[in-house]
Amino acid sequence: MKTARAQGVGFRSERGPILIALMLSTGLVAIDSTIVATAVPSIVRDVGGFESFPWLFSAYLLAQAVSVPIYGKLSDMLGRKPIILAGIGLFLLGSVLCGIAWSMPALIAFRALQGLGAGAVLPVSITIAGDIYSLEERAKVQGYLASVWAVSSVVGPSLGGIFSSLGIWRGIFLVNIPLCLLAGWMLLRTLHENVERAKHRVDYAGAALLAVSLGLLILGALQGGQGWAWNSPVSIGLFVAGAALLAVFLAVERRAAEPVLPSWVVSRRLLGTTTLVSFGVGAVMIGLTSYVPTFLEGALGTSPLIAGLALAALTLGWPLSASQAGRFYLRIGFKATALIGISVTVAGLLVLALTAATPSVALVAASCFVVGLGLGLVATPTLISAQSSVEWNERGVVTSTNMFARSIGSALGVAVFGAVANAVYATTAGEGAAPAVVAASGAVFLAALVGGILTVAAVLAMPAVGAGASGKDDDGGTDGEPALAEAEDKTR
């Protein structure tokens, strides 16, 4: 049997077509995350609903976040191929419907459908990469996938601006059609799975309870302080109902034959700590992506394009370090690599927070680049260590849990940073718009720094398991990591 290690990495290798298909699939989600924002004014002029347009983003993020764990479990039960193809199909259908939407409520509903597709596409793409590439190769492959986000951070806003200026904003959704068809066709043609057929008992009750409970909690976090006051009956009701349903979900999972979110996902030390790290990465990312453009535009009067390019430095630094992470963790281990990365991240956040009072486009871009370099050395080794600690039939759940934690970190980060920014802005608004924006953004950067420091604690709590170790925690427990001597992949 030809092993994954012998086949090489790159577009010209035997697995090159699958890698291209995974990059195309990732590109669907990556471009969509940046292209819509630039077209909002044109959308509002055409279909109306200015008061509701934030739901274009909230509905998408909400549907994506709550569906990720469910898709992860289904991919372990049924295989990766049918789940990612179903996700691409949903994304394609949602894109077509968005392109012909006749009103803002219809567009919001179709964006939610897109989000359901994205919930399968992104985590399953990463899981497939974990299946077909060896431990040594995965960091380089993650660099390929991360480069898609770097390109999308420039291409997305540019395409959105072009379509908007031409008065054809519907094109930002219809452009997904050829990408979906090409990615789906390549996966159908090149990805071949050898999945053990077994009778499964689908945890429908658990899946429904998880989706509804997390949906209510994330909705409360996304819209609290914006759509309604934090202490309003709506906000309190959402959090109480979400927490109650989450408690019911945990009770149901204890009795389920095949729980959609098994308890071992967070009870194993390695998996629990890497999940916390992913949560911190999501919070730090949203703090910068949400407020760096506003900071530069409000404080210095820079154009949206320049502000966006300054932020793009973040997504340029990430793939550069992610592609080199393998050199580090194969030599010094996952934990040490993540510690270096989070230290670099904190250093960049510290510079950003300390210099917020004297804004500079160049300094902000440089700080974002440093933060991106650090995050690439955090996210990649922690994800790969988690994937490598389990067998094929558990890897989908582990990967989706990691991605889900990042989504939750972003959702809660939006709520916390928004509350901090609004509070500071309200107290400084009398000094003028620009000083108020500087003060509010500086407070957010400081809060992001605190988030980075807390993430350091999560990295320190990781077990010191090397890439070639046997899988034993340093406290004597086992995370079941086969390390380089991985079990035979079922996808090849």
Side-chain angles (χ1 to χ4, degrees):
M1 184 189 71
K2 184 180 288 187
T3 63
R5 191 175 294 113
Q7 296 174 20
V9 178
F11 298 145
R12 295 184 179 181
S13 69
E14 184 176 332
R15 295 162 295 175
I18 301 178
L19 177 59
I20 294 172
L22 296 180
M23 292 178 70
L24 283 171
S25 302
T26 302
L28 294 173
V29 181
I31 292 178
D32 191 83
S33 66
T34 58
I35 195 173
V36 176
T38 54
V40 165
S42 298
I43 294 173
V44 170
R45 281 196 302 269
D46 193 0
V47 300
F50 178 81
E51 303 82 4
S52 304
F53 88 80
W55 281 93
L56 291 176
F57 307 99
S58 296
Y60 178 91
L61 292 173
L62 187 61
Q64 181 184 19
V66 301
S67 61
V68 163
I70 298 170
Y71 287 128
K73 179 62 178 178
L74 290 175
S75 74
D76 285 339
M77 295 170 61
L78 307 175
R80 323 298 187 208
K81 189 172 183 177
I83 302 304
I84 192 171
L85 289 176
I88 292 174
L90 285 173
F91 196 90
L92 173 61
L93 178 60
S95 297
V96 172
L97 292 174
C98 284
I100 61 174
W102 53 90
S103 66
M104 184 62 75
L107 185 57
I108 291 170
F110 301 147
R111 282 283 289 168
L113 184 59
Q114 269 191 311
L116 288 176
V121 170
L122 190 56
V124 178
S125 293
I126 296 174
T127 305
I128 293 172
D131 289 340
I132 67 174
Y133 289 100
S134 70
L135 188 62
E136 301 100 318
E137 297 168 330
R138 287 178 196 163
K140 187 173 182 180
V141 173
Q142 289 295 324
Y144 277 100
L145 297 178
S147 69
V148 174
W149 291 90
V151 173
S152 299
S153 67
V154 178
V155 173
S158 301
L159 280 178
I162 291 172
F163 283 125
S164 296
S165 63
L166 294 176
I168 49 173
W169 62 265
R170 297 178 187 275
I172 68 174
F173 300 109
L174 300 181
V175 74
N176 292 327
I177 295 175
L179 295 177
C180 287
L181 294 175
L182 181 58
W185 175 76
M186 292 188 70
L187 286 169
L188 274 171
R189 183 171 174 270
T190 62
L191 181 61
H192 305 290
E193 292 184 304
N194 178 22
V195 182
E196 294 180 5
R197 299 300 174 187
K199 191 173 182 179
H200 295 283
R201 297 179 62 182
V202 181
D203 184 17
Y204 293 110
L209 285 168
L210 180 65
V212 175
S213 62
L214 293 179
L216 293 175
L217 292 172
I218 296 173
L219 178 59
L222 286 172
Q223 294 299 312
Q226 300 182 45
W228 45 71
W230 286 108
N231 59 353
S232 67
V234 175
S235 185
I236 295 172
L238 284 172
F239 285 116
V240 170
L245 289 175
L246 188 59
V248 175
F249 163 75
L250 294 175
V252 168
E253 293 301 272
R254 292 193 185 98
R255 297 177 177 85
E258 295 187 66
V260 68
L261 192 61
S263 60
W264 56 260
V265 174
V266 291
S267 63
R268 297 179 190 176
R269 182 176 167 193
L270 176 62
L271 300 183
T273 51
T274 52
T275 297
L276 289 175
V277 171
S278 186
F279 180 94
V281 169
V284 170
M285 280 287 292
I286 201 67
L288 270 60
T289 55
S290 298
Y291 286 93
V292 162
T294 301
F295 172 60
L296 292 177
E297 292 176 40
L300 298 176
T302 59
S303 67
L305 178 60
I306 297 299
L309 290 176
L311 179 62
L314 179 73
T315 49
L316 289 174
W318 187 312
L320 286 177
S321 60
S323 63
Q324 299 302 312
R327 298 176 181 270
F328 288 89
Y329 68 64
L330 289 173
R331 179 170 297 184
I332 63 177
F334 296 114
K335 180 177 180 178
T337 303
L339 277 174
I340 293 173
I342 195 61
S343 300
V344 173
T345 300
V346 169
L349 291 170
L350 180 62
V351 172
L352 195 60
L354 292 177
T355 60
T358 55
S360 161
V361 175
L363 191 57
V364 168
S367 298
C368 287
F369 181 74
V370 170
V371 171
L373 286 176
L375 291 177
L377 288 177
V378 175
T380 298
T382 52
L383 173 61
I384 292 175
S385 65
Q387 286 184 329
S388 301
S389 71
V390 296
E391 303 291 344
W392 181 92
N393 63 336
E394 296 176 336
R395 195 172 293 147
V397 167
V398 167
T399 304
S400 64
T401 300
N402 190 280
M403 303 302 297
F404 174 68
R406 191 180 300 179
S407 297
I408 294 296
S410 295
L412 293 181
V414 165
V416 172
F417 296 143
V420 169
N422 291 337
V424 174
Y425 189 87
T427 59
T428 57
E431 302 174 12
V437 169
V438 170
S441 301
V444 170
F445 299 151
L446 183 60
L449 174 62
V450 172
I453 293 173
L454 292 175
T455 307
V456 173
V459 175
L460 288 172
M462 287 177 60
V465 178
S470 63
K472 293 286 185 183
D473 287 352
D474 51 12
D475 62 358
T478 181
D479 276 321
E481 178 164 7
L484 293 179
E486 298 177 57
E488 179 180 344
D489 288 322
K490 294 182 182 291
T491 304
R492 55 183 180 267

